[in-house]
Amino acid sequence: MKVLVIGGGAREHALCRSLSLDPDVNALYCAPGNAGISEVAELRPVDALDGEAVARLSTELGADLVVIGPEAPLVAGVADAVRAVGIPVFGPSAEAAQLEGSKAFAKDVMAAAGVPTARSYVCTTPEEVDAALDAFGAPYVVKDDGLAAGKGVVVTEDRAAARAHALACDRVVIEEFLDGPEVSLFAITDGVTVLPLQPAQDFKRALDGDQGPNTGGMGAYSPLPWADPKLVDEVMESVLQPTVDELRHRGTPFSGLLYAGLAITSRGVRVIEFNARFGDPETQVVLARLRTPLASVLLNAAQGTLHAEPPLSWREDAAVTVVIASHNYPDTPRTGDPIEGLAQVAAEDAPEAYVLHAGTRREGDDAVVSAGGRVLSVTATGSDLAQARERAYKAVARIRLDGSQHRTDIAAKAAEGR
């Protein structure tokens, strides 16, 4: 099978790593990719938002499967363009991707499907914003209706800050605050059959102790030793299958990766948000634990034959990923700084720990430099979370990137049984 992956972040590196280990994959391409992905896949230049260009590249390569990683190309209709030239693609149509592209659309789908979620208001005027903030009170939860690279959500006790964020958005969803721990649960679907993956937990805040601004994610771990063993079955029944069924009934079947961001509240499971693609950094830990070869699962989802896929097989190991971010992230990051220590991790820590590249590029023959806000995802596995965490941070300590930052408490409470 020839596979083309679209994107260039740590999620795509995780996908390419898994696909490169699949014996069914005899050719692997990534466009545009990054410095790390180039070690497991052949890179090709492409504008990931240009559907015609991606479809043309897919045809030129003779791809048997195209996997679209990021949300922006999906919302832009890139999957539709690839499907139009007859190539199977893992990723929803532009219409179905509105589940992530528009918070208001997602709320409407959930209401119709009876999916439990936070009460909310969609606001477009200052008067509507003020009324919604007054109705819910603090802590305020304000979400940009459109895509914002994981940074369009403000949760704050400060009404003025909440109002300012709301007024900076063309359209905004203001909703009640959901108490309780958060969980990410992915499901692969062909629009009818839904195949859940293992749950993970990520860390959105920039600083230790869940302090600081929201980011795209600073780390993640799986499994969740504190979670109810019946959680996946419950979410399948109350969230994932009803959502897939509702979209199919609307004539906009969702085929690809459905990501449910969940709050485990005192009143039960509630959906915080949906995404239309693999999450970053949760993908890094979920795929580290997946034993089933990935390519056939994604191809069956793309071809509408997921019902033929046998149950997924999982490793007993735990996985932890720690994100190393640039100076000043999540504000405008500094880029172009050299990264050292990558070869040392590969030589001394692999295969239990390895580095997935997010924002990197090659400079000259050997040098790798930072090229984004989140630069690397250092991922490790172990017999339990404590061991996986120890291995991840041991590898993190080998990486040298001037001005870089990372959280020191990823999976700490879970590893201690808290």
Side-chain angles (χ1 to χ4, degrees):
M1 193 189 305
K2 292 182 179 179
V3 182
L4 169 63
V5 176
I6 301 300
R11 163 188 45 229
E12 288 75 37
H13 194 175
L15 287 164
C16 285
R17 180 181 182 273
S18 290
L19 290 165
S20 73
L21 298 172
D22 188 330
D24 286 343
V25 177
N26 63 349
L28 180 60
Y29 306 92
C30 187
N34 63 38
I37 295 173
S38 68
E39 297 176 6
V40 294
E42 185 178 323
L43 302 191
R44 294 298 176 95
V46 79
D47 177 354
L49 296 176
D50 185 337
E52 289 187 9
V54 173
R56 190 162 53 247
L57 176 62
S58 306
T59 303
E60 289 170 3
L61 295 174
D64 300 301
L65 172 67
V66 175
V67 180
I68 300 177
E71 61 272 25
L74 293 169
V75 172
V78 172
D80 302 279
V82 176
R83 283 195 187 94
V85 297
I87 297 175
V89 57
F90 183 80
S93 66
E95 205 169 356
Q98 285 301 304
L99 202 61
E100 176 171 4
S102 168
K103 305 289 190 301
F105 175 79
K107 287 290 186 183
D108 184 63
V109 169
M110 284 187 270
V115 170
T117 186
R119 294 178 297 122
S120 64
Y121 294 100
V122 179
C123 308
T124 56
T125 68
E127 293 76 19
E128 290 173 345
V129 167
D130 289 335
L133 293 174
D134 289 342
F136 290 131
Y140 303 101
V141 181
V142 183
K143 299 181 176 182
D144 190 335
D145 181 55
L147 295 178
K151 291 175 281 190
V153 179
V154 166
V155 181
T156 178
E157 297 278 348
D158 185 336
R159 191 182 190 283
R163 189 174 192 272
H165 180 66
L167 296 181
C169 305
D170 291 333
R171 194 178 191 215
V172 69
V173 174
I174 297 175
E175 63 184 37
E176 67 175 326
F177 176 77
L178 296 174
D179 65 312
E182 296 183 12
V183 173
S184 301
L185 184 61
F186 302 162
I188 292 170
T189 179
D190 59 3
V192 179
T193 301
V194 180
L195 200 61
L197 305 186
Q198 288 291 300
Q201 185 173 58
D202 77 331
F203 295 76
K204 289 292 187 194
R205 299 285 188 170
L207 306 177
D208 284 4
D210 292 326
Q211 300 299 306
N214 261 350
T215 72
M218 295 299 290
Y221 70 93
S222 178
L224 312 181
W226 49 266
D228 187 330
K230 298 177 183 175
L231 175 65
V232 173
D233 291 340
E234 179 186 343
V235 175
M236 268 291 292
E237 185 178 337
S238 66
V239 175
L240 298 171
Q241 193 70 57
T243 300
V244 169
D245 292 345
E246 171 62 23
L247 286 166
R248 186 175 69 255
H249 295 152
R250 290 177 176 223
T252 57
F254 188 104
S255 170
L257 196 290
L258 178 58
Y259 165 137
L262 309 164
I264 313 301
T265 77
S266 55
R267 294 173 292 144
V269 173
R270 298 287 185 273
V271 174
I272 301 170
E273 64 175 355
F274 282 125
N275 289 338
R277 39 73 195 182
F278 279 101
D280 182 348
E282 299 98 319
T283 300
Q284 288 86 302
V285 293
V286 172
L287 291 186
R289 299 186 58 224
L290 180 64
R291 182 178 279 118
T292 300
L294 186 61
S296 68
V297 184
L298 303 187
L299 183 62
N300 276 326
Q303 294 181 324
T305 53
L306 198 57
H307 62 275
E309 186 67 35
L312 298 177
S313 173
W314 296 92
R315 296 183 177 90
E316 292 298 319
D317 285 359
V320 172
T321 193
V322 180
V323 171
I324 298 177
S326 293
H327 174 73
N328 206 41
Y329 178 78
D331 293 325
T332 305
R334 192 175 79 203
T335 59
D337 290 311
I339 303 166
E340 298 176 342
L342 297 172
Q344 190 179 2
V345 174
E348 300 188 32
D349 300 311
E352 291 82 12
Y354 49 89
V355 179
L356 298 170
H357 292 228
T360 67
R361 59 181 170 81
R362 291 204 178 274
E363 202 167 75
D365 292 335
D366 299 316
V368 176
V369 301
S370 60
R374 291 186 296 172
V375 182
L376 304 168
S377 285
V378 180
T379 304
T381 56
S383 59
D384 56 20
L385 285 174
Q387 186 179 54
R389 190 172 181 279
E390 179 185 353
R391 287 172 171 171
Y393 278 105
K394 182 179 178 183
V396 166
R398 300 191 197 277
I399 305 293
R400 295 176 297 284
L401 172 62
D402 186 50
S404 67
Q405 54 177 314
H406 65 271
R407 283 185 57 160
T408 66
D409 63 346
I410 303 301
K413 289 182 178 179
E416 295 167 4
R418 291 189 287 145

